[in-house]
Amino acid sequence: MKNIVILISGAGSNMAAIVRAASNDRWEVRFGARVAAVISNKADAPGLLFAREQGIAAMVVDHKAFSSREDFDAALAAAIDRHHPALVVLAGFMRILTPAFVSRYEGRLLNIHPSLLPAYPGLHTYQRALDEGCWFAGATVHRVTADLDHGPILAQAVVPVLPGDTSQTLATRVLTQEHRLYPAAIARLLGESS
Ligand code: GAR
């Protein structure tokens, strides 16, 4: 079985979209893959509830309990490795990871970022796109490298920027596409390796 471990920090709507796709599109039968665990760095992340309701192992590794990034990443890796993951999927996981963590999961670590990378790595992607007068915005699924919000691009979705958009309306339009994009990119990877 190919285990997928998903890391979240908040709402977890991308995680929920992946869990639903895994079930609706029968990833277990088609790819021998399943979402084995959801791990959050925040105890109050709403996504944890959804995961538990789905019968998925859900746990917290609170970054505030560790005095260094290295210690947190080591505890996080220990929690992840219990599930022997084929893929580690960052889905709104808002922590910068150490190079040691990234290299441990090399080739197995994916992220989704709410911009058309390489434009707008980092935070406030919607507002920055609006401020620059972009006509298009979007989301990118990429492999994770030690460079924040860089790495080989696996899939992108483009949305128009519309008159009167705020960062909130643009975020909502992009997020809707993320929910389609991320499961599709993961399914494609699983298909290639099965
Ligand atoms: C998503 O828009 C995701 O692209 C973004 O956080 C949101 C999480 O939403 N990720 C990043 O900004 C990472 N740099 P969700 O918790 O509802 O999936």
Side-chain angles (χ1 to χ4, degrees):
M1 183 64 68
K2 291 177 196 156
N3 283 341
I4 301 169
V5 173
I6 306 181
L7 307 189
I8 65 169
S9 296
S13 69
N14 276 292
M15 174 272 296
I18 294 163
V19 168
R20 289 197 181 99
S23 161
N24 293 342
D25 301 338
R26 301 182 308 134
W27 287 4
E28 207 156 325
V29 176
R30 287 171 61 206
F31 309 127
R34 61 167 186 159
V35 178
V38 172
I39 302 174
S40 171
N41 65 306
K42 291 190 172 181
D44 60 357
L48 288 168
L49 287 178
F50 172 86
R52 290 189 182 118
E53 279 165 15
Q54 304 298 309
I56 296 169
M59 66 169 297
V60 177
V61 182
D62 185 348
H63 63 277
K64 292 199 294 298
F66 300 88
S67 56
S68 72
R69 239 179 239 291
E70 285 72 19
D71 288 353
F72 168 66
D73 279 8
L76 184 60
I80 292 170
D81 288 350
R82 262 178 239 140
H83 302 281
H84 306 287
L87 282 180
V88 178
V89 171
L90 310 182
F93 185 69
M94 304 305 275
R95 299 294 303 169
I96 292 174
L97 296 163
T98 55
F101 182 96
V102 172
S103 76
R104 182 186 194 92
Y105 299 105
E106 195 184 344
R108 295 184 283 162
L109 190 56
L110 311 181
N111 183 41
I112 190 162
H113 183 74
S115 78
L116 294 171
L117 291 174
Y120 309 127
L123 298 174
H124 312 300
T125 56
Y126 314 109
Q127 195 55 52
R128 287 155 70 200
L130 290 172
D131 290 348
E132 301 248 27
C134 290
W135 286 31
F136 297 97
T140 303
V141 176
H142 64 100
R143 291 192 188 276
V144 175
T145 63
D147 235 357
L148 180 70
D149 298 331
H150 283 77
I153 291 172
L154 297 172
Q156 287 188 311
V158 180
V159 304
V161 176
L162 299 177
D165 260 345
T166 62
S167 61
Q168 192 48 56
T169 59
L170 188 53
T172 303
R173 192 173 309 121
V174 170
L175 192 59
T176 302
Q177 291 305 311
E178 291 185 37
H179 296 162
R180 184 189 56 75
L181 186 71
Y182 213 178
I186 294 168
R188 200 176 65 228
L189 275 184
L190 292 170
E192 283 167 6
S193 67
S194 62

